[in-house]
Amino acid sequence: MGAMTGRFWDDLPLAQLDRAQWEALCDGCGKCCLHKLEDEDTGEVHATNVACKLLDRRMGQCSDYRHRHAYVPECVRLNARNVAKIEWLPSTCAYRLRANGETLPEWHYLNSGDRESVHAAGQSTRGWTVSEVDVGDMEDHLTDRVL
């Protein structure tokens, strides 16, 4: 890292963030809450446009974040120790970017000052996803969209 910027999201490694800073890194894209399908033969992971039942697809945030594990036990809790190992995280995920020593995109609200900028940049689940409660076969919902 270069010179200190005075901005925790640029200056501090993930392991040094406090809880509020950690939670603030999330850009609210919602892409980590989309179902992925793994090819049984190749192990390759494919994205779908199917969102977890708890995802508020318009806002890109969990509708019951505090209690999500009671409803979705398999929901992954990100932390500084596991984030670099989770290969299916979106390429634009702030946790992934920072774990790799990269900077956050300009549209990230910590840079832009606007929570809507992730949506305006087309980087969220808004407008192209469906809830898992409304779908049948997940394979009918594979997407070529890069997450």
Side-chain angles (χ1 to χ4, degrees):
M1 251 180 253
M4 298 296 273
T5 66
R7 303 182 319 184
F8 74 85
W9 58 93
D10 287 331
D11 296 341
L12 297 177
L14 291 178
Q16 291 182 14
L17 299 181
D18 64 30
R19 177 114 180 131
Q21 292 169 332
W22 177 268
E23 295 297 335
L25 266 187
C26 178
D27 60 27
C29 74
K31 294 186 288 188
C32 62
C33 299
L34 296 179
H35 287 276
K36 292 91 178 159
L37 297 179
E38 183 175 353
D39 185 303
E40 293 176 4
D41 297 326
T42 67
E44 189 176 355
V45 176
H46 301 278
T48 73
N49 71 333
V50 180
C52 170
K53 62 186 174 187
L54 294 181
L55 182 67
D56 177 332
R57 295 177 294 119
R58 187 177 180 313
M59 298 306 297
Q61 297 176 340
C62 185
S63 61
D64 195 358
Y65 185 72
R66 181 182 294 272
H67 304 108
R68 69 192 185 276
H69 289 102
Y71 303 104
V72 184
E74 66 274 14
C75 182
V76 175
R77 183 170 296 172
L78 297 179
N79 60 53
R81 292 176 305 284
N82 70 7
V83 71
K85 300 172 192 157
I86 301 175
E87 296 179 15
W88 52 258
L89 283 174
S91 60
T92 58
C93 175
Y95 300 105
R96 174 183 217 147
L97 293 171
R98 293 303 300 125
N100 292 332
E102 299 174 48
T103 59
L104 302 185
E106 288 305 310
W107 50 258
H108 192 289
Y109 84 96
L110 289 172
N111 288 325
S112 71
D114 181 4
R115 281 271 187 194
E116 286 293 310
S117 59
V118 65
H119 308 296
Q123 294 297 325
S124 76
T125 56
R126 185 181 287 173
W128 63 277
T129 59
V130 295
S131 175
E132 67 184 346
V133 300
D134 299 323
V135 303
D137 189 350
M138 289 271 192
E139 290 182 2
D140 293 337
H141 292 274
L142 292 170
T143 181
D144 291 333
R145 188 179 284 249
V146 176
L147 299 185

